């Protein structure tokens, strides 16, 4: 088969790769129905993550089970499934405590921007949908593999609750999905920090009540002004830069909760600042598998439509254009169809 491989910064190719096969008894082989480019893929694309050899790319996927290993019990050929962006066993104490993304047997997904992919730990990673979805539902289901699950974790970890004010730092796909989550969790005010008109419009459609375009100190001052000097009870950091982290910390009131789900790059935290801020920090790789059953039901029943974050759809073979468009901010998120 062919699949997506990155060879060096800016060098994404759709080229020959080995067909996946069952390697361990807990594996499954999935025929990919839809995949996409993740914002975190751009760290590698831009050279901020090391590329020591060609790397198969892609960790967001939905598809149909083709084959399972002899020890797989809960996933069957022919099922339409969604999987988390890490493969996890689902049985270790960390998984059982609700943090499968830190499973002691965690594995990376070996290249889902391809027509087929092998999923290790199939029973602990994959969740079947109630039936075979219509094509129109697939984009929203695809978001559950990462960005919607990550946005949900951002809201959950920041203790978004009815009546609270939530500030969301970041207007990428995760930040926009975090708006959906904050709305579902009952926040009375949802403030999104964004400078991009198209993304602002989608944030408002998803439930944002306010948009703040300022950044840094000016952004913090604006939040102070909007909250009578108290700043927010819940702040969701969805970017991963030092600037976004500092802005999020400063926008969180003492005793408040701040989540951080953007993969950190160049972030350095001041211990004295944290000490005197007296805020709760909770974040990391989202435990997407924990949320998948409930999120699937929300999408299946039409209660949320996170698939609207896909504003560019391409045949999988044009994956390099998806990376370029997202890097250049011509697209929020690129969806890739293997059968296009």
């Amino acid at each position: 088969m062919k699949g997506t491989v990155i060879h060096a910064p800016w060098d994404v190719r759709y080229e020959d790769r080995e067909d996946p096969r069952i390697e361990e008894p807990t594996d499954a082989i999935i025929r990919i129905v839809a995949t996409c480019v993740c914002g975190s893929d751009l760290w590698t694309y831009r050279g901020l993550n090391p590329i020591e050899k060609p790397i198969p790319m892609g960790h967001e996927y939905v598809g149909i089970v083709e084959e399972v290993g002899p020890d797989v019990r809960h996933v069957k050929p022919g099922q339409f499934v969604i999987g988390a962006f890490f493969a996890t066993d689902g049985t270790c104490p960390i998984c059982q405590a609700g943090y499968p993304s830190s499973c002691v047997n965690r594995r990376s997904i070996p290249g889902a921007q391809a027509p087929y992919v092998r999923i290790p730990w199939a029973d602990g990673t994959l969740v079947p949908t109630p039936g075979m979805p219509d094509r129109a539902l697939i984009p929203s289901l695809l978001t559950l593999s990462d960005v919607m699950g990550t946005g949900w974790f951002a809201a959950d970890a920041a203790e978004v609750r009815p009546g609270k004010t939530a500030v969301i730092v970041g207007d990428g796909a995760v930040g926009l999905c975090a708006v959906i989550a904050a709305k579902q969790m009952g926040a009375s005010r949802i403030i999104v920090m964004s400078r991009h008109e198209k993304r602002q419009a989608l944030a408002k459609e998803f439930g944002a009540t306010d948009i703040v375009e300022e950044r840094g100190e000016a952004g913090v001052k604006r939040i102070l002004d909007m909250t009578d000097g108290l700043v927010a009870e819940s702040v969701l950091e969805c970017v991963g830069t030092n600037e976004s982290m500092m802005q999020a910390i400063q926008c969180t009131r003492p005793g408040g909760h701040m989540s951080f789900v953007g993969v950190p790059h160049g972030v350095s935290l001041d211990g004295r600042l944290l000490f005197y801020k007296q805020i709760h920090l909770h974040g990391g790789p989202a435990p997407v598998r924990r949320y998948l059953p409930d999120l699937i039901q929300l999408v299946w029943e039409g209660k949320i439509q996170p698939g609207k974050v896909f504003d560019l759809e391409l045949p999988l073979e044009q994956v390099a254009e998806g990376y370029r468009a997202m890097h250049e901010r011509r697209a929020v998120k690129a969806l890739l169809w293997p059968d296009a």
Side-chain angles (χ1 to χ4, degrees):
M1 70 174 188
K2 290 185 180 293
T4 304
V5 179
I6 189 165
H7 288 257
W10 321 111
D11 184 6
V12 170
R13 307 178 196 176
Y14 190 65
E15 63 183 20
D16 288 333
R17 283 176 43 196
E18 288 189 12
D19 291 345
R21 57 184 177 80
I22 298 293
E23 297 179 13
E24 298 179 8
T26 52
D27 288 351
I29 304 298
I30 305 300
R31 176 170 61 84
I32 297 294
V33 173
T35 182
C36 54
V37 180
C38 182
S40 64
D41 292 335
L42 298 182
W43 294 112
T44 304
Y45 183 66
R46 294 165 177 160
L48 295 171
N49 291 334
I51 305 172
E52 298 176 355
K53 61 181 181 179
I55 304 170
M57 296 295 287
H59 57 262
E60 298 170 277
Y61 56 97
V62 296
I64 297 171
V65 179
E66 293 279 304
E67 183 182 0
V68 298
D71 289 352
V72 176
R73 297 287 180 265
H74 305 298
V75 176
K76 297 177 173 54
Q79 289 180 318
F80 189 95
V81 294
I82 304 168
F85 58 81
F86 280 131
T88 57
D89 64 24
T91 60
C92 80
I94 308 302
C95 287
Q96 293 296 300
Y99 288 89
S101 50
S102 291
C103 173
V104 298
N105 291 309
R106 182 179 74 181
R107 308 268 191 91
S108 296
I109 299 298
Q113 290 167 4
Y116 295 87
V117 66
R118 178 179 70 90
I119 304 298
W121 299 120
D123 279 341
T125 305
L126 301 172
V127 179
T129 56
M132 195 63 62
D134 293 335
R135 191 176 178 91
L137 205 59
I138 288 172
S140 286
L141 293 171
L142 176 58
T143 67
L144 308 187
S145 186
D146 186 347
V147 290
M148 186 63 233
T150 297
W152 196 272
F153 177 54
D156 192 16
E159 293 283 332
V160 175
R161 298 292 183 267
K164 285 189 175 182
T165 293
V167 171
I168 297 171
V169 181
D171 63 0
V174 170
L176 292 168
C177 287
V179 177
I180 295 174
K183 179 72 172 178
Q184 287 290 311
M185 294 180 189
S188 60
R189 194 173 193 185
I190 302 172
I191 304 171
V192 176
M193 308 194 92
S194 169
R195 290 179 170 178
H196 301 273
E197 185 176 348
K198 183 178 178 181
R199 300 178 187 214
Q200 292 172 0
L202 189 52
K204 289 179 179 178
E205 182 178 346
F206 283 163
T209 57
D210 302 271
I211 301 294
V212 169
E213 296 192 355
E214 295 87 347
R215 292 184 181 176
E217 291 183 7
V220 174
K221 183 179 184 303
R222 181 80 178 109
I223 299 297
L224 280 164
D225 291 343
M226 295 171 70
T227 56
D228 298 323
L230 295 174
V231 288
E233 301 101 322
S234 297
V235 178
L236 294 62
E237 192 284 320
C238 302
V239 183
T241 65
N242 197 62
E243 180 186 31
S244 62
M245 283 289 288
M246 294 304 104
Q247 185 163 304
I249 290 169
Q250 295 285 15
C251 287
T252 310
R253 72 174 58 173
H257 293 77
M258 177 191 143
S259 62
F260 54 104
V261 298
V263 180
H265 285 75
V267 174
S268 179
L269 298 181
D270 182 339
R272 289 181 64 85
L273 171 64
L274 293 177
F275 183 80
Y276 287 107
K277 279 293 293 184
Q278 290 187 298
I279 62 176
H280 302 78
L281 288 176
H282 187 190
V288 167
R289 177 60 182 82
R290 186 210 304 178
Y291 301 120
L292 271 177
D294 289 340
L295 291 177
I296 288 171
Q297 203 61 36
L298 286 172
V299 168
W300 206 260
E301 294 173 358
K303 293 179 180 178
I304 61 173
Q305 295 179 292
K308 291 182 178 182
V309 298
F310 292 112
D311 55 349
L312 176 64
E313 298 189 17
L314 296 167
L316 179 56
E317 64 187 20
Q318 296 179 24
V319 58
E321 169 57 17
Y323 277 80
R324 284 192 295 269
M326 287 178 61
H327 165 68
E328 296 168 3
R329 296 182 75 82
R330 290 185 283 114
V332 176
K333 193 166 180 67
L335 187 151
L336 305 167
W337 296 103
D339 63 352

